[in-house]
Amino acid sequence: MSVIDETHDPRRESWVTSAKGHAEFPIQNLPFGVFSPSRGAPRGGVAIGDEIFDLRAGLEAGLFSGDAARAAEAAAGATLNPLMALSSGPRQALRKRLSALLFADNPERARIEALSAQLLHNASDCTMHLPAAIGSYTDFFAGIHHARNGGMRRDPNNPLSPNYKYVPVAYHSRASSVRPSGVAIRRPNGQRKLPSEDAPSYGPCRKLDYELELAIWVGPGNALGEPIPIARAGDHLFGLGLFNDWSARDIQQWESQPLGPFLGKNFGSTVSPWIVTTEALAPFRVPQPARPAGDPRPLSHLWDETDQREGAFDIALEALLMTEGLGAKGLPPHRMSASNTTDLYWTVAQMIAHHSCNGCNLAAGDLFGSGTISGPTTAGYGSLMELSNDGTREITLASGETRTFVEDGDEVIFRAHCRKAGCAPIGFGECRARII
Ligand code: CA
């Protein structure tokens, strides 16, 4: 499943100066995204340090051939869907070629560097777009600590519903309202009714929350009626990003009985613009943590020994909050929580296998949210619902301000990094958005 090759070599450095030791995008990462230069149309690119490598310009300069050219052509347009639909062979060929082109000891370096004005754009001059045309977006519920924290209010003795350890629970959400990082989200109006109120009313959300999630980008799809077997499910993952499933808790709490989330969730979601590929993540695969004693073994269509051995990821996540008060005092964003993708109860392959097990067809560019990834203690709670105990516990920021839910003008920022001894650390860039 995980191929580790010269592209992951921690000694490999790029001739792109800003990429050396870059916290997010060293030469070992090479994530894909869609960007526009200051004057130009949206196109596919690869982040390298503080620069973006322009795949269209690379094709025009004749830098790719064979499978790598096929993948670069598929990645060079206004969406990455054609690249996502390809098998891992061409993707790996493109990754190897990009790594070789950007490598400081590349024999072609002088020729490539001479082209750098065409090939590279300063990322700060560019606008990032959604990386794909998202046909369908599904939100899972695989963060078990979040699921348990949410269920505690319902039934403290049985916070998890009886299906939780058998079914990777999910709901279909709204693809059309997903926005790239940096686009402000408007506080939704809706019908809400607090338990203390006699009647519902319509008005602005009073419990606006964020949810710290992984963005899971589907690669090659499956035909309707043909389930993806668990042993092949990993081949259908293109890569990962960060996802904020903005949630209007008061609207959600009133409307969700009995059909689940609707207007409390679909008014806007934020996704990070760079997709860290399964190839880049190969060194950071880990075993799926063993289920606690007494938990059921997944049914056979969700069980695969290889997936259990290396199907999880070790990705450190953090959620930060920037407020006007912090900004006025020159203070940095307040760190709200830190958690890890090993806090997920289900692997990505299990989510893919489950989603298609009834024959449902997935397509390249489909997006999954993992579900809120909370750690086991308060320090890891990935939503304000959990941190503030549904608004009953105030969180004090370094500015002296307090929060229970998100206020207008607040900006929520997610970051993620993979770190492991003997590997170059890589990051995901930011997933950020301000509430207006
Ligand atoms: Ca969610």
Side-chain angles (χ1 to χ4, degrees), residues 71-82:
E73 193 64 60
T79 72
L80 296 178
N81 300 63

Side-chain angles (χ1 to χ4, degrees), residues 81 84 130-140 170-180 213-219 236-245 269-272 274-275 351-352 355 361-371:
N81 300 63
M84 295 162 130
L130 285 179
I134 305 167
S136 191
Y137 150 45
T138 302
D139 198 30
F140 280 86
Y171 66 97
H172 281 295
S173 196
R174 188 84 189 162
S176 65
S177 54
V178 179
R179 292 291 178 274
E213 304 195 18
L214 211 53
I216 297 161
W217 292 98
V218 174
H236 294 261
L237 171 65
F238 177 74
L240 302 176
L242 290 167
F243 193 74
N244 186 344
D245 179 29
S269 311
T270 305
V271 70
S272 60
W274 292 109
I275 305 179
M351 295 180 209
I352 290 171
H355 203 312
N361 51 326
L362 304 180
D366 281 359
L367 174 65
F368 299 169
S370 60

Side-chain angles (χ1 to χ4, degrees), residues 61 80 152 155:
L80 296 178
M152 287 299 275
D155 182 353

